[in-house]
Amino acid sequence: MLGKLFFVFLKIGFISFGGGYAVIPMIEREMNHRGWVDAHEFQKIVSLAGMSPGPIATNSATLIGFDLAGFPGAIVATIGMVLPSLLIVILIVAFCMRYQRNGQVKASFYGLRPIVTGLIIYAALHFGFLSHSETLFTWSTLMTLLISIGCLYAILKYKLHPIVVIVASGLVGIILF
């Protein structure tokens, strides 16, 4: 199991762009495909990982590894998730230092932005609105949408610190749900 965990998260780490929430759909697909974690449990893991300090994708890998194989599983899954990023960053830094003024290199990084944006929007829609049921218009999705709009408004209009908004939305969620 440890070897499988390592290679699954190594693969996810190598083929995922955007980090954080953009990687969550890939992790979910791999976990569901293997039957390791069901959708409800995965949603709980992602919620806990999002509340923990650090990158959500790495935290998710750690929690899944722990759930499947205890402390050794957490370590192996985390290393598998982080190792590709470490290697890629080392290679990119070496490349960018050499070709940092090249127009094609700059343009390629700008070209990746829409992909990352799309993956983040997908994750937000999937976990925020579509994970509870197949239909978009339910009490739960309506309340989630209203809380999301309220949070965005509070951050943009009143410049509230994200931690204040997170705590407040958590309290609203407890009251409503």
Side-chain angles (χ1 to χ4, degrees):
M1 180 56 135
L2 293 177
K4 288 179 184 178
L5 268 173
F6 176 77
F7 284 111
V8 165
F9 283 105
L10 186 74
K11 178 177 92 171
I12 292 169
F14 268 121
I15 63 176
S16 300
F17 288 97
Y21 287 97
V23 178
I24 296 300
M26 175 75 66
I27 296 172
E28 181 182 28
R29 180 180 169 98
E30 290 293 327
M31 296 305 106
N32 288 341
H33 176 70
R34 286 172 172 67
W36 289 351
V37 178
D38 65 30
H40 181 69
E41 188 175 354
F42 185 75
Q43 187 174 9
K44 287 195 286 186
I45 287 170
V46 170
S47 297
L48 182 58
M51 293 174 19
S52 304
I56 191 166
T58 304
N59 291 346
S60 296
T62 303
L63 291 169
I64 290 168
F66 186 80
D67 189 46
L68 295 175
F71 189 70
I75 291 173
V76 165
T78 303
I79 291 171
M81 190 72 187
V82 171
L83 186 61
S85 298
L86 177 65
L87 296 175
I88 290 169
V89 166
I90 290 170
L91 290 172
I92 288 174
V93 167
F95 177 79
C96 286
M97 292 304 288
R98 187 171 189 156
Y99 299 104
Q100 64 186 348
R101 300 199 189 278
N102 184 307
Q104 290 176 336
V105 172
K106 287 181 183 179
S108 67
F109 284 117
Y110 283 113
L112 290 175
R113 286 182 180 177
I115 295 168
V116 173
T117 303
L119 289 171
I120 291 169
I121 290 169
Y122 168 81
L125 290 173
H126 182 69
F127 284 100
F129 305 110
L130 301 177
S131 59
H132 301 297
S133 74
E134 294 297 320
T135 62
L136 185 59
F137 300 104
T138 65
W139 170 257
S140 177
T141 56
L142 178 62
M143 290 299 106
T144 302
L145 179 62
L146 290 175
I147 292 170
S148 298
I149 291 169
C151 291
L152 182 62
Y153 183 78
I155 290 172
L156 293 176
K157 172 83 171 154
Y158 298 109
K159 309 291 188 229
L160 291 179
H161 194 281
I163 291 177
V164 173
V165 176
I166 290 169
V167 170
S169 65
L171 293 173
V172 170
I174 289 170
I175 292 167
L176 292 176
F177 299 104

